[in-house]
Amino acid sequence: MYADDELLPLSGLQHIAYCERQWALIHLEQIWDESYDTVRGSLFHERVHLEGYSAAKGVRSERGYRLVSRSLGIAGIADVVEFAADGDAAEAVVRPVEYKVGKLKIEEWDRIQVCAQALCLEEMLGCAVGQGDLFYGATRRRERVVLDDALRERVAGLALRMHELFERGETPRAVRGPKCRRCSLADSCLPEAFDHDAVAYWKEAGFEKASQHALCDEP
């Protein structure tokens, strides 16, 4: 069980699932570059993050619901948590709802975030949370997320990886790929800088033998 001062942001799970280096730049090196997409996302979340609640058709919706899981070592805020009755059984149904400005993704990044919220709720409330919802602003519709064992294990593994990197204070090397074009931190990350080492640089410059001697010389 993690102590209060060991808790890491729940939002980091989505970052580390996207790219370990992106997570480290944000959460270790405190680097954040705004982009069109990040500004859109912030504006989209402003209203839903106002704390409070609403009730309609037997569903109570709590906004800005604070979350914590000491077993995973994460804490954060859910956009909305819904509390409802499940038909004839009259059992409480708890469901996290995460709001996203874009549209449904093939990748699991958004599902990881809503699953982490569900795991926090299970630990806090002592109840099972089998589903969560993702609301996408581009389509104005919800997508249901089934919180199966594979997704839960993925969240637990990512949480452990965050703590490993945090304890070591380690920023992983960049691995350039298609995701780099969509990353708001591309200018700070400079993934292309890791494509060449010193030997390759001198070789391209036509000084292969000189570079080998230079690398062996002591300063």
Side-chain angles (χ1 to χ4, degrees):
M1 303 295 283
Y2 291 90
D4 286 347
D5 59 354
E6 296 175 314
L7 299 175
L8 297 178
L10 184 154
S11 60
L13 290 167
Q14 191 174 27
H15 298 144
I16 201 168
Y18 185 85
C19 171
E20 287 193 352
R21 182 170 173 82
Q22 185 197 70
W23 174 86
L25 290 174
I26 294 171
H27 298 277
L28 288 180
E29 302 189 23
Q30 303 297 305
I31 295 174
W32 178 258
D33 297 332
E34 291 285 10
S35 68
Y36 173 73
D37 288 334
T38 61
V39 171
R40 283 178 66 213
S42 296
L43 294 174
F44 185 72
H45 278 86
E46 277 187 359
R47 180 177 179 275
V48 73
H49 274 173
L50 295 175
E51 292 186 10
Y53 75 93
S54 59
K57 298 180 179 180
V59 178
R60 179 184 174 96
S61 300
E62 297 272 0
R63 299 188 303 274
Y65 197 95
R66 298 186 179 277
L67 302 169
V68 64
S69 169
R70 299 193 181 280
S71 62
L72 295 175
I74 57 176
I77 299 177
D79 288 340
V80 173
V81 177
E82 293 181 343
F83 298 86
D86 185 15
D88 296 335
E91 294 181 353
V93 174
V94 182
R95 180 181 298 121
V97 184
E98 177 67 16
Y99 282 66
K100 297 295 181 183
V101 68
K103 58 184 179 181
L104 180 66
K105 302 175 182 67
I106 297 175
E107 299 86 358
E108 61 182 356
W109 309 316
D110 294 344
R111 294 187 286 277
I112 284 171
Q113 188 172 4
V114 79
C115 182
Q117 294 174 0
L119 293 177
C120 289
L121 289 168
E122 288 183 339
E123 189 172 313
M124 294 167 61
L125 304 176
C127 65
V129 180
Q131 298 175 334
D133 282 353
L134 289 163
F135 177 86
Y136 288 99
T139 58
R140 307 299 299 177
R141 58 172 293 179
R142 289 191 182 196
E143 302 291 343
R144 182 60 46 84
V145 179
V146 177
L147 309 175
D148 57 22
D149 291 341
L151 188 57
R152 291 166 179 265
E153 291 173 5
R154 174 69 169 147
V155 170
L158 289 170
L160 181 60
R161 181 60 174 161
M162 282 199 308
H163 281 279
E164 290 174 348
L165 291 175
F166 189 84
E167 289 171 8
R168 297 203 300 259
E170 177 183 339
T171 298
R173 287 173 57 92
V175 179
R176 188 160 66 161
K179 291 185 293 186
C180 296
R181 295 194 299 269
R182 301 161 58 184
C183 180
S184 63
L185 298 183
D187 290 340
S188 296
C189 175
L190 299 175
E192 65 278 1
F194 290 85
D195 288 346
H196 304 285
D197 57 22
V199 173
Y201 172 82
W202 286 110
K203 184 176 180 180
E204 290 179 2
F207 298 100
E208 181 176 4
K209 292 183 179 180
S211 67
Q212 293 174 353
H213 289 300
L215 291 173
C216 292
D217 291 340
E218 296 201 11

